[in-house]
């Protein structure tokens, strides 16, 4: 017994977060590349004052029962919190924190990198060279659409959606957005962004980039019907959450030529099984949920999650709380 608050940290995070926790808490760290298996997680959180979770750790009634009535805070190391049952935490007086803001620009960088890579077929080009297929310059080799001057449709015009719009402006793109409601001109005018219904946006856009939270409303927002509204020449980019896209419908659309290409940072499930039809498609670029993976940003996320954890175990207001809807 140290007299310090007991906390469980569900994975090794950058020192910017780990150091202050080590200093102030009795720390139990899951020091493995893979997440703790569910039974292990439930055992390790028992009797904790605070838990630092990752998006791979489900926080629900079972978790909260296992932790016990002493749990004060769940600090999620992510801006997304669809892994946390926030209402269940609120019912038990457990504070929830996330890491908004610090990963906005880094995530937008990756969304734009995916957009460019899919449009200009970079993974295919790289494979072509490595496979020894490059024999000459070819007028028809690996053609794709122009990014500059094209129309981008941004679904979810929050922090990250707007950061993608800033990048699109640099490429002279026409910017459309869709959100639950039309946003004030003060927000959209600096981007020259015009509101569209989802159908209107999908029908007009050459590139569609998804930036919505995962909720019952957005689950399978992109499905066979909505994919049918898109141009057959369009590129779909998803850096939000995998279940926002119905992957079976996406695979059909990509295979049949109903959609030109997709680029995904997130899948459903994660990791995507190797026998998922999307994995074998040349016009589907998939990377392993790395949108926030710059050294600086992951350090800032760690510091922020630690600040939430420490505030929570001390019974203080969290710097960046997630409030129940
Ligand atoms: C988040 O923070 O929600 C991302 O998906 C991981 O950085």
């Amino acid at each position: 017994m140290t007299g310090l608050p007991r906390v469980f940290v569900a994975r090794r995070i950058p020192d910017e977060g780990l150091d202050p926790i080590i200093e102030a808490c009795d720390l139990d760290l899951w020091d493995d590349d893979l997440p703790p298996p569910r039974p292990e997680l439930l055992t390790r959180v028992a009797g904790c004052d605070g838990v630092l979770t990752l998006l791979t750790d489900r926080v629900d009634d079972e978790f909260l029962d296992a932790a016990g009535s002493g749990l004060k805070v769940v600090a999620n190391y992510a801006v997304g919190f669809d892994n946390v049952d926030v209402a269940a935490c609120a019912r038990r007086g457990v504070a929830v924190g996330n890491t908004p803001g610090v990963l906005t620009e880094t995530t937008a960088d990756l969304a734009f990198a995916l957009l460019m890579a899919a449009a200009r077929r970079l993974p295919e080009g790289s494979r072509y060279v490595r496979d020894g297929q490059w024999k000459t310059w070819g007028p028809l080799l690996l053609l794709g659409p122009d990014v500059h001057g094209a129309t981008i449709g941004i679904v979810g015009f929050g922090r990250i959606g707007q950061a993608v719009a800033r990048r699109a402006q640099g490429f002279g793109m026409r910017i459309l957005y869709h959100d639950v409601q039309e946003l004030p001109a003060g927000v959209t005018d600096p981007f020259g962004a015009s509101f569209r219904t989802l159908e209107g946006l999908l029908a007009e856009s050459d590139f569609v980039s998804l930036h919505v939270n995962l909720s019952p409303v957005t689950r399978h927002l992109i499905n066979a019907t909505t994919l049918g509204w898109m141009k057959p020449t369009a590129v779909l980019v998803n850096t939000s959450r995998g279940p926002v896209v119905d992957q079976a419908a996406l695979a059909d659309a990509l295979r049949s030529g109903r959609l030109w290409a997709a680029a995904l940072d997130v899948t459903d499930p994660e990791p995507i099984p190797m026998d998922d039809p999307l994995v074998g498609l040349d016009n589907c670029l998939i990377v392993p949920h790395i949108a926030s993976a710059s050294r600086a940003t992951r350090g800032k996320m760690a510091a922020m999650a630690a600040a939430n954890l420490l505030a929570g175990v001390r019974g203080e207001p969290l710097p960046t709380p997630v409030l129940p809807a």
Side-chain angles (χ1 to χ4, degrees), residues 169-296:
Q169 281 181 304
F171 281 76
M173 296 177 92
R174 175 172 166 252
I175 300 171
L176 307 178
Y177 79 95
H178 176 75
D179 212 310
V180 282
Q181 60 189 18
E182 198 165 339
L183 298 168
V187 174
T188 57
D189 279 1
F191 306 102
S194 309
F195 178 80
R196 291 288 186 280
T197 61
L198 182 63
E199 182 168 2
L201 177 143
L202 294 177
E204 279 184 60
S205 299
D206 302 304
F207 297 91
V208 173
S209 194
L210 304 177
H211 301 286
V212 293
N213 288 333
L214 176 61
S215 73
V217 177
T218 60
R219 181 174 293 272
H220 286 192
L221 183 71
I222 301 299
N223 54 43
T225 303
T226 53
L227 283 164
W229 296 338
M230 292 180 71
K231 296 182 183 183
T233 50
V235 175
L236 175 71
V237 177
N238 189 12
T239 53
S240 62
R241 284 292 183 262
V244 173
V245 175
D246 174 346
Q247 280 178 195
L250 177 62
D252 281 348
L254 290 171
R255 241 189 328 237
S256 65
R258 271 292 308 123
L259 184 69
W260 192 70
L264 312 175
D265 179 47
V266 288
T267 62
D268 179 25
E270 292 181 4
I272 191 166
M274 288 309 288
D275 61 357
D276 188 289
L278 287 176
V279 174
L281 295 178
D282 272 343
N283 55 350
C284 188
L285 163 58
I286 307 174
V287 296
H289 204 148
I290 52 170
S292 64
S294 77
R295 273 188 293 278

Side-chain angles (χ1 to χ4, degrees), residues 55 78-80 99 103 241 289 292 298 301:
L55 46 82
V79 63
T99 63
L103 47 75
R241 284 292 183 262
H289 204 148
S292 64
R298 287 287 167 85
M301 288 168 66

Side-chain angles (χ1 to χ4, degrees), residues 10 13 38 52 59 77 82 98 105 109 112 119 138 153 177-178 189 198 200 210 220-221 250 299:
I13 57 170
R38 184 74 178 170
L52 190 147
V59 178
Y77 180 72
D82 46 283
N98 68 340
E105 300 298 333
D109 284 349
F112 220 80
Y177 79 95
H178 176 75
D189 279 1
L198 182 63
L210 304 177
H220 286 192
L221 183 71
L250 177 62

Side-chain angles (χ1 to χ4, degrees), residues 92-104:
R92 298 173 191 237
V94 175
V96 178
N98 68 340
T99 63
V102 290
L103 47 75
T104 300

